[in-house]
Amino acid sequence: MLPVAPDVFLLPAWFGRTINAYLIGDVLIDAGIQSSSTRLAQQLRGRSLRAHALTHAHSDHQGASAALCLALDLPLWASPAEADVMAQPYHPRSLVDHLQARFWRGPTYPVVRRLREGDEVGGFEVLELPGHSPGHLGFWRQRDRVLLAGDVLMNLDLRTGRERLGEPLRAFTADQARNRQSIQRVAALAPALTLFGHGPPLYGPAKLEALAQQLT
């Protein structure tokens, strides 16, 4: 567990910072893949948690959600669209989907609070940032300009494993045009610190603003 801002911790959920979860206040954000449950539970040991929330319900973010909610007695929160995904059996449509369903994806689990724009979670304001998935959420703290961006952006080159700011993979993005609108929105916030589902933290708004300009 790595402190990155006051009351904000990065929890590596897989190798290095390839898949990240976060603790904001007393709320766990995202939960990696199936095998992340032990790793995350160890990092959370001794912490008093109120809830577990999802940026979105892709396999690499909800994989350990059910296991952690059961083990730690946590309610699950998500946007309405992602709550529906968490409630439905997963039907793979490709070889990659089958592999993710077998090794990454966690079981269905009920969402008891449906998060919407402006809700408060762990001292952060909920932002609706659709595109990568229909109900994708971000979390924004105005007082020190900290943004949890989920997968609206990535700060990782999957080919090299090195830090690189860019769009999420198109193959796993429901609506690229809408996601680019979400990138424009978060860039306009000029965050002092941006946290990602994949890759290390980004300090300062310059790189984010430059990317947003390229996508206009």
Side-chain angles (χ1 to χ4, degrees):
M1 183 183 294
L2 308 171
V4 291
D7 293 322
V8 181
F9 297 86
L10 186 156
L11 285 66
W14 207 32
F15 299 110
R17 297 178 190 175
T18 53
I19 300 177
N20 301 322
Y22 294 91
L23 181 62
I24 59 173
D26 55 3
V27 179
L28 173 66
I29 305 295
D30 290 340
I33 61 176
Q34 287 181 32
S35 61
S36 299
S37 59
T38 300
R39 182 190 298 249
L40 292 174
Q42 289 174 343
Q43 295 178 76
L44 293 167
R45 187 173 296 151
R47 296 270 176 177
S48 178
L49 302 184
R50 179 166 59 110
H52 170 36
L54 294 173
T55 59
H56 61 302
H58 284 181
S59 300
D60 52 342
H61 292 257
Q62 64 80 256
S65 290
L68 289 170
C69 285
L70 289 170
L72 302 176
D73 192 23
L74 299 176
L76 182 61
W77 301 348
S79 70
E82 305 303 309
D84 291 342
V85 172
M86 284 298 295
Q88 298 169 3
Y90 186 63
H91 299 291
R93 293 172 294 177
S94 67
L95 176 59
V96 171
D97 283 348
H98 277 282
L99 291 172
Q100 287 191 356
R102 173 67 178 84
F103 297 106
W104 285 18
R105 189 164 191 83
T108 60
Y109 199 81
V111 170
V112 300
R113 180 183 176 192
R114 297 191 171 212
L115 299 173
R116 301 181 186 276
E117 179 85 18
D119 286 348
E120 183 274 331
V121 172
F124 283 67
E125 176 186 353
V126 171
L127 303 179
E128 295 179 357
L129 301 173
H132 180 63
S133 71
H136 190 288
L137 301 177
F139 301 90
W140 168 245
R141 192 165 68 184
Q142 172 66 36
R143 63 178 170 83
D144 54 0
R145 312 193 76 76
V146 176
L147 171 70
L148 271 72
D151 281 6
V152 173
L153 298 132
M154 298 176 63
N155 200 24
L156 182 72
D157 188 326
L158 295 178
R159 298 167 299 178
T160 65
R162 296 180 178 177
E163 180 176 350
R164 181 178 179 274
L165 184 64
E167 298 178 84
L169 294 177
R170 187 168 187 172
F172 299 107
T173 298
D175 188 329
Q176 187 181 48
R178 290 192 76 189
N179 193 69
R180 288 183 171 181
Q181 292 174 358
S182 291
I183 291 174
Q184 301 291 343
R185 182 184 180 191
V186 298
L189 295 173
L193 172 64
T194 306
L195 304 169
F196 307 90
H198 307 282
L202 177 67
Y203 293 89
K207 288 184 178 181
L208 178 53
E209 291 172 351
L211 176 64
Q213 290 176 2
Q214 293 173 15
L215 299 176
T216 55

